Amino acid sequence: MSPPTQEPWARWDPSQHKAGFWFPPAPEPSDPLPRARYFRYGAPPVINPLGTSFANNTSVQPSFLLKMLQDNASFNVSYPAPGDWFVAAHLPPSSHKIEVKDFIPTCAYIFQPDMLVVRVVEMSILKPDVPLPLVLLSQPSYLKVFVPKHTQELRLELQGCVSNGSLGCPVHLTVGSATLPGNFQKVLTCSDPTTACRLLLPSPPWERWMQVTAKSLAGPRASVTFSAVVALTACRPWTVNLQHLLNSSDQSSNTSTGTPLPSPNTHDLDQSGKAGSGPFCFRSFPILREDMDVVSVRFRPLDGVSVLVQSDMPSVMQLYLNTGMDSGGSLSISVSINQTVIANSTSVVACVTAGSPFLSFNTSLNCTTAFFQGYPLSLSASSPTANLSIPYPETDNWYLSLQVLCPERPEECVQASVLVETTMYLVPCLNDCGPYGQCLLLRRHGYLYAGCSCRAGWRGWSCTDNSTAQTLAQQKVATLLLTLSNLLFLAPIAISVHRCLLVEASVYAYTMFFSTFYHACDQPGGAVLCILNYDTLQYCDFLGSGVSIWVTVLSMARLKASLKYVLFILGTLIFAMSLQLDRRAAWNTMGPCLFAIVVMVTMWVYRCGRRRHCYPPSWQRWVFYLLPGLSMAALALTIYVSMMTSENYYYTHSIWHMLLAGSAAFLLPPRDQHAEPWACAQKLSCRYEICKNHRDELYTVT
């Protein structure tokens, strides 16, 4: 993901049956732009503050959004769903300017929300088929009913409703808990005296308590008396056991001719489930959960990757994502069929839901359960593959339901069956963030989640938004600029060898080599070449740049050879230590360089006082060498500190390379008066050599 800044996360667990909670964030520094807070139940919020596009086939659940124009704000959620709630916050997009550390003031933002909880003390329990008498006054009544597994439908009805203040049944019912901004809480107003006060909930969430709130509409002094009755319709699952899977694998070759699974009978019922004595309503295929890595899970049927789907009832697979640590990744589901074995008028519809499966394909195709808007998929001969990606899925049991439908010719679906291949994974990042992104695992307050860090101008949750992406030609140009600009160090290398400054020449060669290959490895796109570990190349590049400035300034001081080389070694060791501590801190590089400048100025002032005239004495040295070199160094420092941005980095940093190399070539001191050009190269051959005695300046032949 490419958020504008790093998001702080917080997580709370409002336990069951709480009426509401309130978050007042702590004060923060004033900011001219608004900040935002996102709240979501069951998983971290999927935020998109920059308005980038998501990858294809990606579905995103909305979150509660609170924009803060002031330092304090509050947010209220009435009747929150029990479980984990997540809060995320981010700052406005930062500036594109590349700022040097220690040259800009730092600003710390504090995000510290407080949660205030109002609990419901008295809550009545509704039992199936047992009327619960209630009397409503001015205060609402809170009820709860437990929904067991394999419940197909829940019916809530108010019977014998009498009011002493108005006609009919003036009762307002709210069923369910708040989970989304446009949540699927069911609201029923029983004001019509001629209509039964009844609410039907298809596929309510299994194995959890469902909250019911009843409020009186009769006025402050009137009372409403009624009896609440809950009826549950059990759904009898046919669990496809191993023997059925073996039989279906033997018959898979006949799938194209429409050979269905054996008809379910009473002995096919899973002995561990209690689904009543009603008819079968779906086939349950066992699913294996394989934990492969951190936030990386594979789900597969027992027989491999495929399930047999028929028209008589849905085929359901349960995905266990209720461990509490699965909501930080992305759920990826892919279903496909062989388009040669399915008729043109036949289609396979699928629905992905959380909490309970969708079982009403014959009556509705909206893929909506009692409180959850599912994700519909469709397969046909013209579209044999369907994909779905869900970033940060809610912590719950998820279900994939499939069924064969023939909307145009229902008679063709009587014996139709299709083998559907399924690929179901929980991955940290979709497609591993693609070729222009890097998947990162982040931890906040003990919670682990994943996100993408995009490169080369790519943006979006999965680095798939190319609206600001660089083309391959632009990436190659950027790589060539940043690498070939280092070739200007050949000038100070040649000048150093010409003037017999071999140590300086070695340092410049080191800087040129590692700066070239560091920037070849540092490129975000496809034009990348890494000869060593990235961190190693970066460290060597920073070290070479600092030492190059160090040796250049000390060479200008014209110290004695022994003292100069001692300072060379000490400065290199100091640079190595400081860059290991923090290679991006400005003073870790500027400190030694300023010390070298002080040494140089001290020596020049000393020579001026001793010789009674300016040093260096030649005006040509000042005009043609020192002033151009100092100007180039000052311009390079100005560009490095104040002009670099993420957009012009490739050009400004290349100019920085050229100015740094050019200033070194101009500022290197001239060779000794009695030394011959390229004298160091001549020493490598076998011949008589002229040696200089630095004490008495006498020359002897050896």
Side-chain angles (χ1 to χ4, degrees):
M1 64 189 159
S2 298
T5 57
Q6 199 173 45
E7 297 98 349
W9 294 93
R11 178 173 65 168
W12 291 271
D13 182 9
S15 58
Q16 282 188 328
H17 319 314
K18 293 181 181 177
F21 51 83
W22 174 67
F23 297 101
E28 299 188 13
S30 58
D31 197 295
L33 295 177
R35 298 172 289 273
R37 304 288 185 271
Y38 297 84
F39 306 86
R40 187 186 173 197
Y41 165 74
V46 180
I47 65 175
N48 188 20
L50 300 181
T52 58
S53 62
F54 287 86
N56 296 331
N57 307 312
T58 301
S59 296
V60 178
Q61 288 282 4
S63 305
F64 291 102
L65 171 61
L66 174 64
K67 290 186 177 181
M68 292 187 60
L69 299 177
Q70 299 177 354
D71 292 337
N72 294 285
S74 61
F75 188 80
N76 182 71
V77 179
S78 299
Y79 314 118
D84 289 336
W85 282 76
F86 293 81
V87 181
H90 70 84
L91 297 175
S94 59
S95 173
H96 294 284
K97 182 179 179 181
I98 300 177
E99 297 172 328
V100 181
K101 189 177 179 180
D102 298 333
F103 274 82
I104 56 173
T106 59
C107 184
Y109 285 81
I110 301 174
F111 170 61
Q112 185 178 356
D114 298 324
M115 182 178 68
L116 305 179
V117 180
V118 179
R119 296 177 179 268
V120 175
V121 179
E122 296 182 0
M123 181 167 287
S124 304
I125 297 178
L126 276 172
K127 297 182 180 179
D129 301 321
V130 177
L132 178 64
L134 294 171
V135 177
L136 286 182
L137 299 174
S138 59
Q139 296 297 326
S141 294
Y142 299 98
L143 316 173
K144 66 178 180 178
V145 57
F146 184 77
V147 181
K149 193 174 183 180
H150 303 147
T151 299
Q152 185 177 12
E153 185 181 72
L154 183 145
R155 183 182 65 185
L156 175 63
E157 184 176 1
L158 302 187
Q159 299 176 351
C161 186
V162 178
S163 173
N164 61 358
S166 61
L167 298 176
C169 186
V171 177
H172 180 85
L173 292 178
T174 303
V175 182
S177 303
T179 56
L180 295 176
N183 61 78
F184 283 80
Q185 283 180 321
K186 302 299 181 181
V187 178
L188 178 63
T189 301
C190 305
S191 57
D192 190 354
T194 62
T195 304
C197 188
R198 183 184 299 116
L199 180 64
L200 296 178
L201 298 178
S203 300
W206 292 350
E207 297 184 296
R208 68 187 61 184
W209 291 94
M210 187 181 69
Q211 182 174 316
V212 180
T213 303
K215 295 182 180 180
S216 174
L217 303 177
R221 297 183 179 180
S223 64
V224 181
T225 304
F226 61 90
S227 295
V229 181
V230 170
L232 302 177
T233 302
C235 182
R236 196 176 183 188
W238 177 37
T239 301
V240 182
N241 53 33
L242 184 59
Q243 183 62 37
H244 291 147
L245 294 176
L246 294 176
N247 294 338
S248 64
S249 63
D250 294 337
Q251 297 174 1
S252 60
S253 59
N254 299 325
T255 302
S256 60
T257 62
T259 302
L261 280 172
S263 299
N265 52 67
T266 56
H267 299 288
D268 296 320
L269 184 62
D270 186 4
Q271 300 299 322
S272 62
K274 297 179 181 181
S277 58
F280 293 99
C281 60
F282 70 91
R283 290 184 178 87
S284 178
F285 286 82
I287 298 295
L288 291 179
R289 173 189 167 112
E290 300 179 14
D291 292 275
M292 299 181 296
D293 205 339
V294 179
V295 199
S296 182
V297 181
R298 177 188 178 188
F299 301 96
R300 65 179 182 88
L302 286 177
D303 66 334
V305 296
S306 60
V307 295
L308 197 61
V309 182
Q310 296 180 314
S311 61
D312 56 344
M313 66 181 69
S315 298
V316 177
M317 290 169 282
Q318 182 178 356
L319 311 180
Y320 296 93
L321 292 174
N322 55 357
T323 64
M325 296 300 295
D326 298 329
S327 58
S330 297
L331 179 61
S332 177
I333 297 178
S334 176
V335 291
S336 61
I337 58 175
N338 189 348
Q339 58 183 352
T340 61
V341 302
I342 186 172
N344 293 330
S345 60
T346 304
S347 63
V348 177
V349 292
C351 181
V352 181
T353 56
S356 60
F358 179 74
L359 304 174
S360 304
F361 289 102
N362 295 327
T363 60
S364 175
L365 296 178
N366 58 4
C367 192
T368 302
T369 60
F371 305 109
F372 188 85
Q373 174 61 57
Y375 306 93
L377 300 172
S378 179
L379 302 173
S380 62
S382 60
S383 180
T385 303
N387 300 300
L388 175 65
S389 299
I390 305 175
Y392 293 170
E394 295 178 11
T395 299
D396 209 333
N397 288 324
W398 286 71
Y399 296 88
L400 173 61
S401 306
L402 304 103
Q403 189 171 354
V404 176
L405 295 181
C406 302
E408 299 179 358
R409 299 178 181 178
E411 64 276 2
E412 295 184 1
C413 281
V414 176
Q415 296 293 329
S417 62
V418 178
L419 192 66
V420 179
E421 295 184 358
T422 60
T423 304
M424 299 171 289
Y425 285 92
L426 177 69
V427 295
C429 304
L430 296 176
N431 299 323
D432 202 22
C433 299
Y436 295 101
Q438 180 183 6
C439 186
L440 303 177
L441 290 176
L442 308 174
R443 184 179 295 276
R444 292 291 182 274
H445 302 283
Y447 182 77
L448 187 67
Y449 66 99
C452 290
S453 176
C454 305
R455 305 186 296 265
W458 289 76
R459 306 189 305 167
W461 194 264
S462 305
C463 301
T464 55
D465 188 342
N466 61 352
S467 58
T468 60
Q470 299 176 359
T471 63
L472 184 60
Q474 291 175 325
Q475 297 174 26
K476 291 181 178 179
V477 169
T479 302
L480 292 176
L481 282 175
L482 289 171
T483 54
L484 297 183
S485 60
N486 288 284
L487 294 179
L488 265 72
F489 275 97
L490 291 174
I493 292 174
I495 293 175
S496 300
V497 175
H498 178 266
R499 299 176 182 176
C500 205
L501 303 174
L502 296 183
V503 176
E504 290 83 341
S506 302
V507 172
Y508 299 145
Y510 176 94
T511 303
M512 180 184 69
F513 178 85
F514 281 104
S515 181
T516 299
F517 285 101
Y518 163 65
H519 287 291
C521 184
D522 186 47
Q523 297 311 300
V528 179
L529 174 63
C530 296
I531 63 172
L532 291 175
N533 177 270
Y534 174 83
D535 189 71
T536 302
L537 291 173
Q538 185 187 68
Y539 179 82
C540 293
D541 174 55
F542 286 26
L543 178 64
S545 300
V547 176
S548 296
I549 301 174
W550 172 261
V551 300
T552 302
V553 175
L554 289 181
S555 296
M556 296 172 62
R558 303 298 292 265
L559 302 170
K560 291 185 178 180
S562 58
L563 179 59
K564 183 179 73 171
Y565 295 134
V566 168
L567 291 178
F568 280 1
I569 297 298
L570 289 178
T572 303
L573 294 177
I574 293 174
F575 270 109
M577 177 197 67
S578 60
L579 293 178
Q580 180 63 29
L581 294 175
D582 187 358
R583 67 190 62 172
R584 295 191 179 276
W587 289 107
N588 287 353
T589 301
M590 292 184 60
C593 295
L594 291 177
F595 176 78
I597 293 175
V598 170
V599 173
M600 181 197 70
V601 172
T602 302
M603 293 302 300
W604 284 17
V605 171
Y606 170 75
R607 289 191 176 93
C608 288
R610 183 178 180 183
R611 300 181 181 184
R612 304 295 182 181
H613 59 77
C614 184
Y615 183 87
S618 173
W619 67 269
Q620 293 92 340
R621 180 68 185 170
W622 281 95
V623 173
F624 297 111
Y625 293 97
L626 293 182
L627 291 181
L630 293 175
S631 301
M632 296 175 70
L635 181 59
L637 183 61
T638 303
I639 292 175
Y640 187 82
V641 172
S642 61
M643 297 179 61
M644 285 190 185
T645 65
S646 56
E647 286 83 5
N648 65 13
Y649 173 79
Y650 311 107
Y651 314 106
T652 54
H653 199 75
S654 300
I655 296 174
W656 151 263
H657 288 164
M658 294 184 287
L659 292 176
L660 186 65
S663 63
F666 277 100
L667 295 178
L668 281 173
R671 67 177 185 273
D672 292 336
Q673 183 177 2
H674 301 287
E676 295 292 333
W678 310 102
C680 297
Q682 298 175 4
K683 294 181 180 180
L684 300 178
S685 58
C686 296
R687 64 180 69 182
Y688 289 109
E689 298 179 357
I690 299 177
C691 299
K692 179 180 178 181
N693 189 321
H694 291 278
R695 172 172 294 183
D696 52 9
E697 297 184 355
L698 297 177
Y699 294 84
T700 57
V701 177
T702 59

